[in-house]
Amino acid sequence: MVDHQEYRKWSNGGGLCHNSACIDPTAVVEIGAVIHQRATLGANVYVGSGVVVGPSVTIGQSTSLGYNVALSNCSIGDSCVIHNGVCIGQDGFGFFVDEHGNMAKKPQALYVRIENHVEIGANTCVDRGSWRDTIIGDYTKIDNLVQIGHNVIIGKSCLLCGHVGIAGSATIGDYVTFGGRVAVRDHVSIVSKVRLAANSCVTKDIKEPGDYGGFPAVPVQQWRRQVAALRMNSIKDIQNS
């Protein structure tokens, strides 16, 4: 049960803040936002209406949270922008079949670490870790509607376009770019300075920098030859029919 007497109205915006939360006086917490116990908000943080900052969450200075953001089991660095509807720190999708043949939940007990100058687009989800923290590196920019699974590590200065899906425990280097709807399977490693064309699917480790595309993803010149060959075969089939 929540004791509402332990919450006070924040003078700079009108949101509700737990008495144990540590909030810099310059932070703005808009009406309708809730800051839970032991949360920490740095200088010049902006918290929009409808935001829920869970227990013990840390938010660095000059970070902005859009409307209806939900944060739990995480830390957010300095000068980040978290857009409307983002969810960070919820349980990852981890299950196993128990001795009775039923689906049982794997423990999801670790955290998400968002480093400095990160921007995360609307309605993106970042799951908490199970065997290691989920990490997003400095200056990485993430578009709307992206799914980042538990235990994923993303390096610095990466670009992830809309509808990208990264399965659990993938490791992604620095300066990596994913086009729209790129999919990455679980436990895959991608080296730094890789670019993936839209709709590509990474099914195994990428160990050399460069451009890749296709399903499964291959070096871009090889992918283009595959596409050209398929097109030529299609034209021949039409001519012969």
Side-chain angles (χ1 to χ4, degrees):
M1 298 295 292
V2 175
D3 185 354
H4 295 285
Q5 294 180 349
E6 295 182 357
Y7 289 79
R8 68 191 187 279
K9 186 176 180 180
W10 186 245
S11 59
N12 194 5
L16 289 180
C17 303
H18 194 274
N19 292 330
S20 66
C22 181
I23 304 175
D24 190 276
T26 61
V28 175
V29 182
E30 284 194 352
I31 189 168
V34 181
I35 312 299
H36 285 279
Q37 59 267 32
R38 300 181 304 280
T40 301
L41 277 63
N44 301 308
V45 166
Y46 171 82
V47 179
S49 296
V51 170
V52 178
V53 177
S56 302
V57 168
T58 300
I59 301 172
Q61 63 184 4
S62 301
T63 284
S64 174
L65 307 179
Y67 301 138
N68 298 316
V69 169
L71 304 179
S72 57
N73 311 300
C74 67
S75 64
I76 312 293
D78 298 340
S79 302
C80 293
V81 179
I82 312 298
H83 289 282
N84 301 344
V86 168
C87 294
I88 299 175
Q90 63 282 341
D91 284 357
F93 192 72
F95 300 89
F96 66 97
V97 179
D98 66 16
E99 63 272 17
H100 305 294
N102 300 318
M103 282 290 177
K105 187 177 181 67
K106 292 182 178 180
Q108 309 287 314
L110 298 179
Y111 298 92
V112 176
R113 296 200 339 251
I114 309 296
E115 298 186 345
N116 301 322
H117 302 280
V118 171
E119 184 161 348
I120 300 180
N123 295 318
T124 286
C125 296
V126 185
D127 295 340
R128 70 192 295 198
S130 60
W131 63 271
R132 67 180 181 184
D133 288 346
T134 304
I135 300 172
I136 299 177
D138 293 341
Y139 291 95
T140 285
K141 312 299 181 184
I142 299 172
D143 200 357
N144 303 334
L145 295 168
V146 171
Q147 163 64 25
I148 298 174
H150 56 187
N151 314 311
V152 168
I153 294 178
I154 298 174
K156 65 181 181 181
S157 298
C158 295
L159 286 174
L160 278 61
C161 295
H163 288 222
V164 163
I166 304 176
S169 303
T171 302
I172 296 164
D174 303 330
Y175 306 102
V176 172
T177 299
F178 289 171
R181 297 183 66 188
V182 164
V184 180
R185 63 158 288 183
D186 58 297
H187 296 275
V188 161
S189 294
I190 298 175
V191 74
S192 296
K193 298 183 180 178
V194 164
R195 298 192 302 177
L196 281 155
N199 294 309
S200 301
C201 182
V202 180
T203 60
K204 60 183 180 180
D205 292 351
I206 295 179
K207 300 178 180 179
E208 296 292 334
D211 295 343
Y212 293 79
F215 183 177
V218 294
V220 71
Q221 295 299 332
Q222 180 180 345
W223 173 52
R224 288 170 177 165
R225 288 194 295 269
Q226 291 173 351
V227 172
L230 286 171
R231 180 171 175 79
M232 292 301 296
N233 288 334
S234 297
I235 292 171
K236 289 178 181 177
D237 290 341
I238 292 171
Q239 291 174 342
N240 294 331
S241 61

